[in-house]
Amino acid sequence: MFGLKVVRQNHVGLVETLGKYSREVRAGLNFYIPIFQKVRIVDLAMIPLALQGYSVITKDNAEVQTNVTLNYHVTDARKFEYENSNSVESMIQLVRGHLRDIIGKIDLNEALGSTSKINADLANAIGDLTNTYGIKVDRVNIDELKPSASITESMEKQIRADREKTAAIAKANGEARSIEIETKARNDATVSTAKAEAAATIARADAKAYEIKKLNDMLASVDNKYFTAQQIQAFSELAKSPTNTVVMSKDEIGKYSDIPVTAQVMNQMANDK
């Protein structure tokens, strides 16, 4: 008496005779001997698997929770069923071990910013598991790297501190720049004022020098008659003033007495006494 077993597409049947593997049957209708034989069905299709909340430690001793998804399929049904009591769990342990090793070699900041590289390194490390478990991992991806609550709080404090520091530096730079501009403006104004005053002083000095030069030139061009005339005019002014005493040497009296006008002034001054 024969039994009938239908193996679905993309599956394989493992026939066990009295508990021992005897042969493999493919998709379709297959015969077996009931009681003595049993057909174990193995799915060959790609299977997704999520590894949630796995904790790893980074190089700088930061705890990180990881969520990993992977896709695998069975390549060797015999190895998958008989050479390991739980090939899927063994695969999971292998993935977690490699992930722990990869992340343990890098710092937290590098781990959070380079998930693509971690994915690639993990895929290379896993390789082809067919020889060991009859499984091939087709795709592995780190969905999330989440630091622990204490690390997250510390990071947020650090970010706030960095922002406050940046703002303080920007404010200080702005104030320093404002002071620099104001000081430069004052210095420029002081220099401009000093230059203007210096230019005015030079101009006044030049004008005075020119005046003195012209006076010297004029005095150099006149003769003694001019000075005598000036002295006579002075005596005339003196005769009109309340002053009635003039002190001079004998020689000067003799010199001025020869001038008629001078003599007249002196006589007028004598009569007023």
Side-chain angles (χ1 to χ4, degrees):
M1 181 178 180
F2 293 96
L4 299 176
K5 186 69 174 182
V6 176
V7 179
R8 296 173 52 198
Q9 180 68 34
N10 211 20
H11 288 68
V12 68
L14 302 178
V15 180
E16 298 175 353
T17 302
L18 298 177
K20 181 180 179 180
Y21 169 79
S22 59
R23 59 191 176 91
E24 181 179 296
V25 294
R26 295 294 175 178
L29 181 61
N30 295 276
F31 297 94
Y32 71 102
I33 302 174
I35 302 176
F36 295 99
Q37 292 183 326
K38 178 182 177 181
V39 180
R40 188 187 297 268
I41 304 299
V42 178
D43 189 353
L44 302 180
M46 186 177 295
I47 300 172
L49 180 63
L51 309 179
Q52 303 290 332
Y54 179 55
S55 178
V56 295
I57 304 298
T58 62
K59 183 179 179 180
D60 50 351
N61 296 321
E63 183 181 359
V64 179
Q65 297 292 324
T66 63
N67 293 329
V68 181
T69 58
L70 55 85
N71 294 320
Y72 72 94
H73 72 279
V74 176
T75 57
D76 190 323
R78 181 177 177 181
K79 285 184 177 182
F80 180 77
E81 284 291 334
Y82 301 119
E83 294 188 9
N84 196 300
S85 60
N86 192 332
S87 295
V88 173
E89 182 61 28
S90 297
M91 176 191 65
I92 292 173
Q93 293 177 1
L94 182 67
V95 171
R96 286 177 172 173
H98 283 301
L99 181 60
R100 181 174 60 249
D101 181 62
I102 293 171
I103 294 181
K105 295 178 180 179
I106 58 179
D107 294 334
L108 174 61
N109 289 337
E110 184 180 356
L112 296 177
S114 57
T115 54
S116 297
K117 183 178 183 304
I118 296 175
N119 287 335
D121 292 343
L122 184 58
N124 291 332
I126 294 172
D128 189 353
L129 301 178
T130 301
N131 292 332
T132 305
Y133 309 123
I135 298 174
K136 178 177 176 59
V137 177
D138 301 289
R139 179 179 176 273
V140 59
N141 184 71
I142 297 177
D143 298 324
E144 184 181 23
L145 284 176
K146 184 178 180 180
S148 63
S150 60
I151 297 296
T152 301
E153 183 179 359
S154 298
M155 291 176 65
E156 291 175 351
K157 289 181 178 179
Q158 182 63 42
I159 291 173
R160 286 196 299 269
D162 291 341
R163 288 176 179 173
E164 292 174 356
K165 179 180 178 181
T166 301
I169 292 174
K171 181 180 179 181
N173 289 337
E175 291 176 351
R177 179 58 179 165
S178 177
I179 293 173
E180 180 183 352
I181 293 173
E182 183 179 353
T183 302
K184 184 177 183 301
R186 286 200 302 265
N187 291 340
D188 290 345
T190 301
V191 171
S192 298
T193 302
K195 288 181 177 179
E197 292 177 351
T201 301
I202 293 173
R204 288 194 296 268
D206 290 342
K208 191 65 176 177
Y210 178 76
E211 180 182 352
I212 294 172
K213 181 177 183 302
K214 293 297 290 182
L215 180 59
N216 289 335
D217 291 344
M218 183 182 68
L219 293 176
S221 64
V222 300
D223 54 15
N224 292 333
K225 293 180 180 181
Y226 172 78
F227 294 106
T228 301
Q230 293 295 318
Q231 292 168 351
I232 292 170
Q233 184 178 356
F235 274 109
S236 297
E237 296 295 332
L238 182 61
K240 299 176 183 178
S241 69
T243 304
N244 51 18
T245 301
V246 177
V247 179
M248 61 180 61
S249 66
K250 180 180 179 181
D251 293 337
E252 290 177 338
I253 294 174
K255 181 177 65 175
Y256 290 116
S257 63
D258 296 335
I259 303 173
V261 176
T262 306
Q264 182 180 355
V265 172
M266 295 178 67
N267 290 333
Q268 183 179 350
M269 292 175 64
N271 292 332
D272 291 337
K273 293 180 180 179

